[in-house]
Structure formats: C-alpha cells, structure tokens
Amino acid sequence: GPFYQNLVTYLKSEVSPELMGKDVGEALRKAKCWDSSTREINGKDIVPCGAKARTLFNDTLELRDHNGTPIPIDKSKTAWKSDVARYNNPQDYPNRPNTKWLYEMFPGVVRKDEGVKNEAFAAWMRPAALGRVTNHYGWIHQKLNKGDKLSFQIRSTFNATSEASKLFVITERNIFGGRHTELGYFIMAMGGISLVLCLIVNLLERFPKRRA
C-alpha cells in the first residue's frame, strides 16, 4: 500500500548506528526494521535497512533544449550538509559478503563511491512534515528564456500507488528560496483575514456600544 513519510512506523524504520557506519547485530536490525522486505532481498542483507532507505525516490530526469541538446542538471547541494555528514559507510564497504548496498538497489541514483553519502539519499531520509513530500532534485545553471521549449525524459521506476502521485517541478530560486504557490495563497489569505479584523476593530473603536 501507499507509504506516508510522517507516520511513526515509517520514521522509526531505520537503525541509526548502521546509518553512521557502525556494525550492528541482526537482533537490532530485526527490532528496528521489522518488515523483512526492508532488511533482506534474494537472501542478501540490505544495508542500510529500513522503510525509508528501501523507498528512496529513484525516478530520473533528463532535460533537452529545442535542438535536442542535453541541459546539465547539477545534483550537488540538494541536501543539508549536516545530514550528509551524519551518514557514513561501514569500514568493509563495499566488500561485505552477502550484502545488497544502496548503489545496487538504486543504480543511476546512488554511485558506488558515495553509498550513504549520496545527497539524494540524505535528503530523502529527512522526513516531510506533511503528507506531501517535496525534495530538491537538482539545479539548472544554464540560462533559460521565456518561450524556450524544453523536452523532459523521465525514467519512471519509483513505485507510486494509485493513492499517490509524483511530479517534477521546475521553478525559480532566489534569496527567499524556491517559488511556493501554496505559501503565497496562505500569506494572501492571512493578509485578507488580518485586514477584515483590523476593520472590525476600527469600527468598534469608532462606534462604541452605548450603555443603557
């Protein structure tokens, strides 16, 4: 079924010491990653285990201009530095026998030399506060002009159920962050409510109730 990043069972489905590169026992892995499908696959141990690590968003996107020339997407600086620094690969990475690593689970997203230090993984492991998950995919440094035609080539491999949806959004970024339509609507609504309350208070001050 669908997963929800802000559910407690989803949030707790990880082994923190394992994500930090420490050796952990199988008993702890079973206690934290209780669903066997998040611990093993085809007889091999999944490292790191857990629902969050097992459901890494692995759709890929390629952009091309009107001439068919690829537009580079910079995938650096998409996660918090503190999140990337928190995770480490174990000392025997990637030579531990009978083990399925991230780069094998998600080829095209995680490189072998990165492992858990991959920024897309670090960003994904920080859960969303609400049901709608929004993460940075990358940055386009090439200048785009109004009216430019772009083509999208999406490799859809992430398993979104019928109750869920997924999409790529291209937006501008400034010192205040990316464009967020819902935030704009919220601010306008709060501004309108504040204006109405201000008018009501002003009228009450101008026309106070007469005492009998």
Side-chain angles (χ1 to χ4, degrees):
F3 69 90
Y4 299 89
Q5 273 208 339
N6 51 353
L7 280 185
V8 174
T9 51
Y10 186 87
L11 292 174
K12 290 188 174 182
S13 184
E14 66 172 29
V15 181
S16 295
E18 185 177 62
L19 288 165
M20 296 176 185
K22 300 177 182 178
D23 292 332
V24 296
E26 189 60 24
L28 180 59
R29 281 170 50 87
K30 285 183 178 180
K32 293 291 186 178
C33 309
W34 56 270
D35 189 337
S36 61
S37 65
T38 67
R39 289 195 320 273
E40 56 186 40
I41 183 172
N42 299 327
K44 293 185 176 183
D45 292 333
I46 297 174
V47 179
C49 72
K52 288 194 288 183
R54 187 70 174 83
T55 57
L56 174 63
F57 184 80
N58 59 340
D59 283 5
T60 57
L61 169 68
E62 290 184 9
L63 287 179
R64 297 180 182 272
D65 62 18
H66 64 284
N67 293 319
T69 305
I71 298 175
I73 300 176
D74 179 9
K75 296 182 182 179
S76 64
K77 299 180 180 179
T78 57
W80 291 13
K81 288 183 179 180
S82 58
D83 287 346
V84 178
R86 176 190 173 205
Y87 303 125
N88 285 295
N89 295 304
Q91 291 183 352
D92 56 354
Y93 176 85
N95 302 314
R96 184 186 301 175
N98 200 40
T99 302
K100 197 79 168 176
W101 304 101
L102 273 181
Y103 75 90
E104 297 174 301
M105 299 286 295
F106 305 102
V109 179
V110 179
R111 298 198 314 266
K112 185 176 181 179
D113 62 301
E114 294 176 322
V116 295
K117 304 295 285 186
N118 176 268
E119 292 203 39
F121 175 74
W124 182 259
M125 292 298 286
R126 176 173 285 276
L130 302 175
R132 184 173 182 177
V133 182
T134 303
N135 282 331
H136 293 303
Y137 181 80
W139 312 102
I140 301 173
H141 301 297
Q142 180 176 322
K143 184 178 180 181
L144 301 177
N145 299 311
K146 184 178 180 180
D148 284 353
K149 292 184 179 180
L150 305 176
S151 62
F152 292 69
Q153 185 173 348
I154 300 173
R155 182 171 175 265
S156 179
T157 52
F158 184 78
N159 183 26
T161 63
S162 58
E163 294 89 348
S165 62
K166 53 184 180 178
L167 67 157
F168 282 105
V169 177
I170 294 182
T171 185
E172 296 174 332
R173 187 172 186 262
N174 52 38
I175 58 174
F176 299 106
R179 182 177 296 176
H180 198 305
T181 305
E182 293 179 354
L183 178 61
Y185 289 152
F186 175 77
I187 292 174
M188 288 191 293
M190 290 298 100
I193 293 173
S194 298
L195 179 61
V196 171
L197 292 175
C198 181
L199 291 174
I200 292 174
V201 171
N202 189 38
L203 289 173
L204 291 175
E205 289 291 328
R206 286 176 173 269
F207 305 102
K209 258 187 178 182
R210 292 182 180 179
R211 293 183 180 180

